[in-house]
């Protein structure tokens, strides 16, 4: 049985964030511009992820999106998340 979409996506997001953090720490410790850019990018991604996944945001204690209930099985949601992921991966490559 396949896990729900949110569970798989959460695991992917956790791995992406872990990679970002591993890459960011050396640059951030050295005070490098790339480290700051990466930290900012990760923060932006996380905020966008929470907005697209309001139930996950609530689970993490962020109640800004409690007026929404994400439809994670719709084509619109999949299109939005794919566009967001591709945009952030493109930006990551520019750092």
């Amino acid at each position: 049985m396949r896990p729900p979409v949110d569970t798989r996506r959460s695991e992917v997001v956790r791995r992406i964030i872990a990679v970002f953090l591993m890459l960011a720490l050396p640059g951030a410790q050295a005070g490098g511009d790339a480290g700051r850019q990466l930290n900012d990018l990760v923060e932006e991604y996380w905020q966008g992820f929470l907005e697209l996944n309001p139930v996950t945001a609530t689970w993490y204690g962020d109640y800004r999106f409690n007026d929404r209930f994400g439809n994670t099985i719709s084509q619109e949601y999949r299109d939005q998340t794919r566009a967001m992921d591709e945009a952030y991966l493109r930006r990551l490559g520019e750092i």
Side-chain angles (χ1 to χ4, degrees), residues 19-42 95:
V19 169
F20 283 163
L21 291 175
M22 285 188 296
L23 294 171
L25 288 176
Q29 290 172 350
D33 188 48
R36 283 190 294 279
Q37 288 176 336
L38 185 57
N39 286 334
D40 292 344
L41 184 66
V42 169
I95 295 178

Side-chain angles (χ1 to χ4, degrees), residues 55-69:
V55 174
T56 303
T58 300
W59 188 81
Y60 279 108
D62 186 341
Y63 306 112
R64 293 177 293 166
F65 311 110
N66 276 2
D67 61 334
R68 305 175 200 169
F69 189 78

Side-chain angles (χ1 to χ4, degrees), residues 10-82:
S10 294
E11 182 60 30
V12 169
V13 169
R14 274 188 236 129
R15 288 180 184 182
I16 289 171
I17 289 172
V19 169
F20 283 163
L21 291 175
M22 285 188 296
L23 294 171
L25 288 176
Q29 290 172 350
D33 188 48
R36 283 190 294 279
Q37 288 176 336
L38 185 57
N39 286 334
D40 292 344
L41 184 66
V42 169
E43 180 60 28
E44 272 184 58
Y45 180 86
W46 181 245
Q47 294 305 317
F49 174 80
L50 293 177
E51 188 172 359
L52 283 173
N53 299 279
V55 174
T56 303
T58 300
W59 188 81
Y60 279 108
D62 186 341
Y63 306 112
R64 293 177 293 166
F65 311 110
N66 276 2
D67 61 334
R68 305 175 200 169
F69 189 78
N71 182 1
T72 59
I73 62 170
S74 72
Q75 184 63 45
E76 179 184 6
Y77 172 81
R78 289 192 301 270
D79 292 343
Q80 287 174 334
T81 56
R82 182 180 188 105

Side-chain angles (χ1 to χ4, degrees), residues 1-2 4-5 13 68 85:
M1 185 169 131
R2 289 174 52 182
V5 173
V13 169
R68 305 175 200 169
D85 290 347

